[in-house]
Amino acid sequence: MADSSSEAHSDPGEPLRRWERIVALLIGTIFAVLAIIALFFSKNQAGTAALLLVAAAFLLIGVQGTALVRFGGGSASVELDRRAAAAVERADEVAKHDPELALGILEGAAMIEPRLGPAASALRSIAYENAVRRALERVLPDGGTVTATEPPADFAVLTPTANLLISVVFRRSRNIQMVDLAPLVSSRQLEGADGGLVVANQALSSGVSEYIATAAKHGVMIEVVNWDGPEHDRDLRQAVSRLLRQADPA
């Protein structure tokens, strides 16, 4: 489901973007101010030294424009690899219960360690899929249920009169193309279903409508809807309703 082709793996030595450098400088400045305050009002010199090291690390990231893997030495060293590993472990712990929180943890850590970018992207796809499932549950008529199913479909929508297959397509940048519909349309799963629905977060390319029309000529009933938040629930409801009417014209 995830768009692996559009997600480039970042090189830790690759220059950071301008906004990333600005964020690093801001964080470094905040920690520096805290360290200066602690220097005058705190007796915990070890804690003050740690704050200064963290501030220096972020300021160095912002100034030199590249991710910092390790800074300093000894017990007070700033080891971003270790911190990144801890972020991944924490995100993994909460992902099943709160994908949005896990995504926030990874995206925050990825600002410091670019190698976490692909993990954050994968979790972003999972969060979108879960959001689509909740949206389907909101728009289904009474008696309808949403259950997980085997790939290439992600969900099955069951009503007293129909059985629909749902495929969720998440893309970071490019439009939805015919190739994104192919796994569901060509699947034998649709032979036992009353129709298929592709829910995508990006706009549809011009060829998608033609692809749907061609599938319909071969007896494959499929809809594609752009959904990127509750504000698109109406579009999702209409797409589901059309498929249900086709399955049970009476």
Side-chain angles (χ1 to χ4, degrees), residues 117-140:
S121 297
L123 197 56
R124 192 179 293 111
S125 298
I126 296 173
Y128 178 74
E129 183 177 310
N130 289 339
V132 169
R133 177 169 187 162
R134 292 193 295 269
L136 287 168
E137 292 171 343
R138 288 195 299 268
V139 306
L140 283 181

Side-chain angles (χ1 to χ4, degrees), residues 100-160:
E100 287 79 7
L101 175 58
L103 177 59
I105 293 172
L106 283 181
E107 288 188 326
M111 293 175 63
I112 304 172
E113 176 48 79
R115 284 175 293 179
L116 291 180
S121 297
L123 197 56
R124 192 179 293 111
S125 298
I126 296 173
Y128 178 74
E129 183 177 310
N130 289 339
V132 169
R133 177 169 187 162
R134 292 193 295 269
L136 287 168
E137 292 171 343
R138 288 195 299 268
V139 306
L140 283 181
D142 293 340
T145 60
V146 183
T147 60
T149 189
E150 295 295 325
D154 295 292
F155 304 116
V157 166
L158 304 176
T159 73

Side-chain angles (χ1 to χ4, degrees), residues 141 143 157-164 194 243-250:
V157 166
L158 304 176
T159 73
T161 60
N163 170 24
L164 307 179
D194 296 301
L243 286 171
L244 292 177
R245 284 196 300 269
Q246 293 170 354
D248 185 21

Side-chain angles (χ1 to χ4, degrees), residues 148-177:
T149 189
E150 295 295 325
D154 295 292
F155 304 116
V157 166
L158 304 176
T159 73
T161 60
N163 170 24
L164 307 179
L165 292 179
I166 312 297
S167 178
V168 181
V169 179
F170 179 88
R171 297 290 180 262
R172 282 294 306 277
S173 56
R174 69 172 177 80
N175 290 351
I176 303 304
Q177 302 173 3

Side-chain angles (χ1 to χ4, degrees), residues 3-248:
D3 185 11
S4 57
S5 63
S6 65
E7 295 297 329
H9 293 265
S10 298
D11 185 342
E14 182 182 350
L16 300 179
R17 298 180 181 89
R18 181 177 180 182
W19 70 268
E20 293 174 323
R21 296 179 65 175
I22 292 173
V23 170
L25 288 171
L26 287 174
I27 295 174
T29 302
I30 292 172
F31 274 101
V33 171
L34 292 175
I36 292 172
I37 294 174
L39 186 64
F40 291 99
F41 295 97
S42 175
K43 296 181 179 179
N44 185 357
Q45 297 303 311
T48 302
L51 283 174
L52 285 170
L53 277 171
V54 172
F58 279 100
L59 289 172
L60 183 57
I61 291 173
V63 171
Q64 72 179 14
T66 56
L68 185 65
V69 175
R70 187 179 297 270
F71 176 80
S75 60
S77 64
V78 178
E79 299 179 0
L80 296 183
D81 273 344
R82 186 176 62 187
R83 292 173 183 267
V88 172
E89 183 178 355
R90 174 58 179 159
D92 186 60
E93 290 175 357
V94 304
K96 292 183 179 180
H97 308 290
D98 194 341
E100 287 79 7
L101 175 58
L103 177 59
I105 293 172
L106 283 181
E107 288 188 326
M111 293 175 63
I112 304 172
E113 176 48 79
R115 284 175 293 179
L116 291 180
S121 297
L123 197 56
R124 192 179 293 111
S125 298
I126 296 173
Y128 178 74
E129 183 177 310
N130 289 339
V132 169
R133 177 169 187 162
R134 292 193 295 269
L136 287 168
E137 292 171 343
R138 288 195 299 268
V139 306
L140 283 181
D142 293 340
T145 60
V146 183
T147 60
T149 189
E150 295 295 325
D154 295 292
F155 304 116
V157 166
L158 304 176
T159 73
T161 60
N163 170 24
L164 307 179
L165 292 179
I166 312 297
S167 178
V168 181
V169 179
F170 179 88
R171 297 290 180 262
R172 282 294 306 277
S173 56
R174 69 172 177 80
N175 290 351
I176 303 304
Q177 302 173 3
M178 291 184 292
V179 67
D180 298 310
L181 280 63
L184 181 63
V185 174
S186 61
S187 170
R188 297 183 64 87
Q189 285 179 301
L190 279 177
E191 295 179 0
D194 296 301
L197 175 63
V198 176
V199 184
N201 67 313
Q202 296 288 355
L204 310 180
S205 64
S206 57
V208 170
S209 296
E210 298 177 3
Y211 191 79
I212 294 173
T214 301
K217 292 179 181 179
H218 292 84
V220 179
M221 306 309 301
I222 189 168
E223 288 267 353
V224 183
V225 62
N226 177 255
W227 186 93
D228 199 22
E231 64 272 16
H232 295 149
D233 278 3
R234 179 181 178 182
D235 297 334
L236 183 61
R237 181 182 290 107
Q238 291 175 344
V240 171
S241 297
R242 285 193 295 269
L243 286 171
L244 292 177
R245 284 196 300 269
Q246 293 170 354
D248 185 21

